[in-house]
């Protein structure tokens, strides 16, 4: 396999998830890390024994992964577009940042992705869309595929994918937090309740399979007149479906708003 130079700008949550995931791969990759915060550079040095630089040099080939917040991305393009050669594959996980907006600054192959943090363990879900036809420098086949499940989508689907998958871990953490709080309110200590739910969440992946829907799995847990049914009925009576739908709708809308804000900057 050819050698890949991979430059990651922004070493926060997602940048470090990429770093962890890529470091686990036994591939011919050279990593270059950047973050404008000296505190973050120090953390990376201590935790990963790697140097991180404050700004990118002139980059002529390889892959540039942009792991900055949406509010920082336009000034990054303004300040660095001259340093990014046209052969560089620009890979953007930035929520709301459309390929067309990046093209206003860079004439490069552009790969838009919306991974979740599970790329850290090479078990992420990585939806993508791009402005090129073939798998440029085989990055999807050779690298992205190894960080999780990769699937191409029309770019118009990105706002909803961002809501349900990019932000996805947070929905499950919030649900878990509420169950932990309930366990505490009902008599367990906070530590006991948290330990029980962390065990539960850890065990859940082994119960998932491709043949059964979530509804099938629910039916396996609940029995007529039982405890699960009592709780599910309460969720139903309190419009759990509506609460969740509205949250997904709000997150989707916010992604669309961010796209508009970025394309007008
Ligand atoms: N976290 C997720 O689960 C997730 C999932 C999918 C997509 N994303 C996308 O990934 C991006 C990063 O999210 P995050 O949660 O990792 O954010 P984060 O934890 O805030 O990390 C961003 C890092 O980038 C640094 N930075 C900002 N501007 C920079 C610049 N010009 N040059 C170098 N470093 C710079 C920030 O430093 P300062 O703090 O000093 O600004 C910060 O350390 C966002 O656009 C988000 O939409 C995140």
């Amino acid at each position: 396999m050819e050698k890949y130079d991979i430059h990651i700008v922004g070493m926060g949550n997602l940048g470090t998830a990429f770093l962890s995931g890529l470091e686990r791969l036994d591939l011919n990759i050279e990593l270059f890390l950047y973050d404008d915060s000296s505190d973050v550079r120090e953390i990376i040095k201590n935790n990963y024994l790697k140097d991180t630089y404050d700004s990118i040099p002139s980059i002529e080939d390889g892959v540039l992964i942009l792991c900055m917040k949406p509010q920082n991305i336009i000034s990054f393009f303004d300040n660095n577009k001259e340093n990014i050669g046209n052969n560089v594959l620009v890979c953007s996980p930035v929520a709301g940042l459309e390929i067309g907006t990046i093209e206003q600054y860079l004439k490069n192959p552009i790969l838009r992705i919306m991974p979740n943090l599970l790329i850290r363990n090479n078990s992420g879900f990585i939806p993508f869309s791009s402005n090129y036809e073939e798998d440029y420098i085989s990055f999807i086949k050779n690298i992205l595929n190894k960080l999780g499940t990769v699937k191409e989508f029309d770019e118009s689907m990105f706002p909803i994918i961002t809501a349900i998958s990019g932000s996805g871990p947070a929905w499950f953490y919030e649900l878990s937090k509420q169950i932990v709080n309930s366990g505490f309110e009902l008599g367990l200590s906070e530590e006991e309740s948290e330990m029980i739910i962390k065990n539960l969440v850890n065990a859940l992946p082994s119960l998932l399979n491709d043949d059964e829907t979530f509804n099938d799995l629910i039916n396996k847990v609940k029995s007529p007149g039982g405890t699960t049914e009592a709780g599910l009925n309460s969720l139903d009576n309190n419009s759990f479906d509506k609460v969740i739908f509205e949250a997904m709708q709000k997150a989707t809308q916010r992604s669309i708003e961010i796209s508009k804000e970025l394309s007008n900057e």
Side-chain angles (χ1 to χ4, degrees), residues 148-178:
T149 306
V150 175
K151 184 167 165 51
E152 185 165 16
F153 284 89
D154 190 276
E155 200 184 3
S156 62
M157 291 296 121
F158 265 66
I160 175 69
I161 292 169
T162 303
I164 69 168
S165 178
S167 305
W171 316 136
F172 290 89
Y173 299 150
E174 178 63 27
L175 177 64
S176 303
K177 188 181 91 183
Q178 296 303 338

Side-chain angles (χ1 to χ4, degrees), residues 9-10 12-14 35-37 67-70 93-95 114-115 117:
V9 188
N13 299 305
L14 192 65
D35 200 291
D36 60 1
S37 154
C67 293
M68 285 156 280
K69 292 281 190 208
V94 178
M114 184 41 64
L117 293 176

Side-chain angles (χ1 to χ4, degrees), residues 86-92 97-113 128-136 140 152-155 158:
N86 288 348
N87 292 332
V88 175
L89 173 60
V90 175
C91 176
S92 167
L97 181 66
E98 292 178 339
I99 292 172
T101 303
I102 304 176
E103 285 172 336
Q104 290 172 24
Y105 301 88
L106 300 173
K107 303 284 166 257
N108 288 56
I110 297 165
L111 179 66
R112 182 177 179 190
I113 59 173
F128 74 92
S129 200
S130 68
N131 69 350
Y132 53 90
E133 291 293 324
E134 298 294 316
D135 182 9
Y136 183 69
I140 293 173
E152 185 165 16
F153 284 89
D154 190 276
E155 200 184 3
F158 265 66

Side-chain angles (χ1 to χ4, degrees), residues 183-220:
F184 172 61
E185 295 288 331
L186 291 167
L188 290 167
S189 72
E190 246 173 43
E191 293 73 29
E192 288 167 337
S193 194
E194 178 122 0
M195 185 268 286
I196 291 170
I197 297 308
K198 279 198 172 147
N199 260 285
L200 173 68
V201 174
N202 257 323
L204 282 178
S206 63
L207 300 173
L208 290 181
N209 60 72
D210 288 342
D211 299 331
E212 289 177 301
T213 63
F214 285 111
N215 206 38
D216 294 334
L217 294 169
I218 291 170
N219 284 330
K220 276 188 164 178

